[in-house]
Amino acid sequence: MLTTLPAEALGAVIDAIGAPVFVVEVTEDGGFRFAALNHHLEALAGVSDADLRGRTPSETLPADLAGRLTARLQQCLTEARRLDYEGFIDTETGRRRLRVTLTPLVGGDGVIRRIMGTPLDITESYTLASQLEQERALFGELAELSGDWFWKTDETGRFVAFDLVLERDGVRNVGVLGMTRRDLLDTALPPEDMAAIDAAMADRRPFRDLVYPQVLPDGTRRIVRISGNPRFSVDGRFLGFVGTSSDITARHNWIKMQYARHKREALGRMAGGLAHELNNLLLPVVSLSRRARKRLAALPEPPDAILAMLDDITAAGRAARDVVGGVLTYSGGGMADQGPVVLSEVVARAVDTAAGLLTQSVRVERSIEPLQDLAAVTASDVSQVVINLMSNAADACGPGGTIWVSLAAEPAPSRADDSAPRAILRVRDNGPGLQTGVDERVFDPFFTTKPVGEGSGLGLSVVYGIARNWGGDVSVASTPGEGAVFEIRLPLLKTADADRETTQTPQTRTILS
């Protein structure tokens, strides 16, 4: 019917359509003339049916618009099918984006006589889509700058890939698709908030800033803080969770270190007070037992049994005094005057001394870097530290083990440019390593993992006290089965000793004890 209606009747028919519509005639020579357009299109384009009817696109439209429309009409005619395309027109209110559908109208003879066009104004939706794409790109940039990564699970709690957002590294890049949060739990460490995470996910409720230890399939271990929200479909069906994760390993370790340091300092103050009191009590025990023995020994017939008991009292008093001295060193109460020394020379001598005192048959590898800056320490303190650390390492690795002792300057990027230079004294062994949780107590006075009667528990606490007296830091790192590394960072003086600069050479030696 639309192929045979006169123009006036055709206009009335398409006016009843609730969308912009135009109809063009296909001329005998294959050209196109406007047959009619409805009032919706008149309002959209700002043209009238009277202006266009019976005229060609090139006679009524701007050249660029007429060219684009004619080309699309020709394509629709040639291919004899419905054609959809997007374009634009310039109106008094600005440029409008259109999605146009061209439909060929076939006459009773099977020939296309007219083509009906229905342009749909998609300006607003196109603008929104462009804005959404820009926001998505901005979100992607922010995600790349963020230290967090994103995760998503299905309704069973298993990790799934994002449809649109490329996750940074957690879900896809480390190969955990199909795994659950429990599969990533590092069972070698305390579970932290894992029970709370399980409860929130089971109850399908949001959770924020919960922490748990994670081990990835590639063996990477870290402490992560996660937040998550449940997802539901429009009909209320539970879809799973989506959330973010942050690697807080460094901060978590720093907080633990600060907590341990404050605990040791508080314990040190308490132990220092007790040690001073005990020291005052031991002084008369040792001195009076020695004086009593001296007087009894001067008798014509000295009582040997009593002399032996006095000797035992004196020996026990001296041993107790040594223990008290260790506590005082830990607490800082026994700090001696410290003068500048050439640290590399003092450490080298201390390693040689310690190697000769070891009771275990171990291999000692040493690498002493010549340092031009001096250290405000005493040779006796350095010897005490090295002996205690090497003895501890020898006990850990046992006969046939290896101890590595090194001294080097701290790399410049590890400290602020205006800070004093520091040296790193490191003692490492190839023993079984520390058990989980032991590293937090290893510097506590009287704490030991040795059997009863085989250790006082003061060796490492003395090391800690001396290092703190130097103004340095002491730390331990250990992986079960891979040994332990004790590291002391101590400040150096900025005044170089030019006379010694030419005489120091790197010292790398192997010592068998």
Side-chain angles (χ1 to χ4, degrees):
M1 180 180 71
L2 293 179
T3 61
T4 58
L5 283 176
E8 292 77 6
L10 179 62
V13 171
I14 63 175
D15 257 341
I17 300 175
V21 178
F22 67 89
V23 179
V24 297
E25 297 275 1
V26 180
T27 63
E28 293 183 358
D29 60 357
F32 306 99
R33 292 183 182 278
F34 285 105
L37 66 155
N38 66 4
H39 67 280
H40 294 293
L41 184 55
E42 289 179 327
L44 174 64
V47 296
S48 67
D49 176 71
D51 291 337
L52 272 63
R53 183 182 297 176
R55 305 178 67 183
T56 66
S58 60
E59 294 173 338
T60 55
L61 302 176
D64 59 338
L65 177 57
R68 295 197 305 271
L69 178 58
T70 301
R72 295 295 187 177
L73 289 169
Q74 188 62 55
Q75 181 182 357
C76 178
L77 178 63
T78 302
E79 298 178 2
R81 64 175 181 85
R82 194 180 84 166
L83 181 66
D84 295 309
Y85 71 96
E86 291 188 9
F88 62 87
I89 59 172
D90 292 313
T91 69
E92 293 181 356
T93 60
R95 177 164 291 185
R96 311 298 297 178
R97 190 85 181 184
L98 303 176
R99 179 178 293 117
V100 183
T101 299
L102 298 178
T103 305
L105 304 176
V106 182
D109 56 0
V111 177
I112 297 175
R113 297 299 181 179
R114 289 174 176 171
I115 297 177
M116 182 174 67
T118 54
L120 177 65
D121 188 351
I122 60 170
T123 305
E124 283 73 19
S125 61
Y126 182 82
T127 301
L128 290 175
S130 298
Q131 292 175 348
L132 178 61
E133 190 60 35
Q134 292 174 3
E135 291 294 327
R136 183 174 294 160
L138 176 61
F139 176 78
E141 292 179 10
L142 292 175
E144 285 298 319
L145 294 173
S146 171
D148 297 347
W149 63 94
F150 311 106
W151 55 268
K152 185 169 76 170
T153 67
D154 61 15
E155 65 277 10
T156 67
R158 298 187 180 278
F159 290 108
V160 295
F162 283 92
D163 299 326
L164 298 176
V165 182
L166 178 64
E167 55 273 9
R168 284 177 52 82
D169 60 4
V171 173
R172 190 178 65 181
N173 295 345
V174 295
V176 299
L177 293 181
M179 300 176 68
T180 67
R181 183 78 58 188
R182 273 283 170 182
D183 294 332
L184 301 181
L185 178 64
D186 188 351
T187 56
L189 296 174
E192 302 281 352
D193 298 329
M194 195 66 209
I197 296 172
D198 288 341
M201 298 186 76
D203 295 341
R204 300 178 181 179
R205 55 181 169 80
F207 58 90
R208 296 288 182 271
D209 299 328
L210 298 181
V211 176
Y212 83 101
Q214 183 185 85
V215 58
L216 299 177
D218 62 2
T220 302
R221 283 181 160 84
R222 54 192 178 189
I223 306 297
V224 296
R225 181 180 62 229
I226 68 171
S227 298
N229 279 339
R231 298 182 298 120
F232 298 92
S233 65
V234 293
D235 58 358
R237 184 171 57 88
F238 176 63
L239 301 176
F241 272 82
V242 65
T244 62
S245 297
S246 305
D247 185 351
I248 61 168
T249 305
R251 178 172 177 77
H252 187 270
N253 290 342
W254 182 85
I255 292 174
K256 286 176 58 180
M257 182 182 68
Q258 294 302 314
Y259 171 77
R261 174 178 294 177
H262 291 318
K263 183 185 72 173
R264 286 192 291 268
E265 289 175 351
L267 185 59
R269 288 191 294 270
M270 181 186 70
L274 292 174
H276 279 294
E277 295 298 326
L278 291 174
N279 203 39
N280 292 335
L281 296 174
L282 288 172
L283 180 61
V285 172
V286 175
S287 60
L288 292 178
S289 61
R290 292 174 59 188
R291 289 172 60 185
R293 188 191 189 289
K294 186 175 181 180
R295 289 190 178 186
L296 290 176
L299 296 176
E301 296 181 3
D304 294 336
I306 296 178
L307 291 178
M309 287 188 287
L310 290 173
D311 288 339
D312 291 341
I313 293 174
T314 301
R318 287 174 175 171
R321 190 173 58 188
D322 290 341
V323 172
V324 170
V327 174
L328 286 172
T329 300
Y330 170 83
S331 65
M335 182 174 61
D337 294 336
Q338 299 174 346
V341 299
V342 180
L343 188 61
S344 52
E345 294 182 359
V346 173
V347 170
R349 289 197 298 268
V351 173
D352 290 340
T353 300
L357 297 175
L358 297 180
T359 58
Q360 303 280 7
S361 177
V362 297
R363 182 185 184 89
V364 179
E365 299 277 356
R366 82 176 193 184
S367 177
I368 310 298
E369 178 182 316
L371 303 178
Q372 305 307 322
D373 295 316
L374 305 179
V377 300
T378 63
S380 60
D381 280 350
V382 174
S383 295
Q384 184 71 64
V385 166
V386 172
I387 290 172
N388 286 9
L389 289 178
M390 289 181 61
S391 297
N392 183 76
D395 290 339
C397 61
T402 302
I403 302 173
W404 293 267
V405 183
S406 65
L407 177 70
E410 182 182 52
S414 300
R415 54 184 175 83
D417 294 338
D418 59 347
S419 63
R422 297 200 300 181
I424 301 176
L425 174 63
R426 186 178 289 116
V427 177
R428 178 168 65 93
D429 64 71
N430 63 348
L434 300 177
Q435 296 179 356
T436 302
V438 171
D439 56 335
E440 300 178 11
R441 303 183 57 196
V442 71
F443 296 110
D444 291 352
F446 306 110
F447 175 78
T448 180
T449 58
K450 298 176 182 178
V452 176
E454 294 188 15
S456 66
L458 285 173
L460 293 179
S461 65
V462 168
V463 170
Y464 175 83
I466 292 175
R468 297 293 290 167
N469 289 342
W470 289 341
D473 295 310
V474 59
S475 61
V476 60
S478 177
T479 300
E482 299 181 11
V485 181
F486 287 84
E487 188 173 277
I488 296 178
R489 296 173 183 261
L490 65 154
L492 298 173
L493 302 177
K494 290 188 176 181
T495 304
D497 189 339
D499 293 336
R500 295 187 181 274
E501 182 175 344
T502 58
T503 62
Q504 295 187 71
T505 57
Q507 301 182 38
T508 302
R509 293 177 53 190
T510 299
I511 305 171
L512 298 178
S513 64

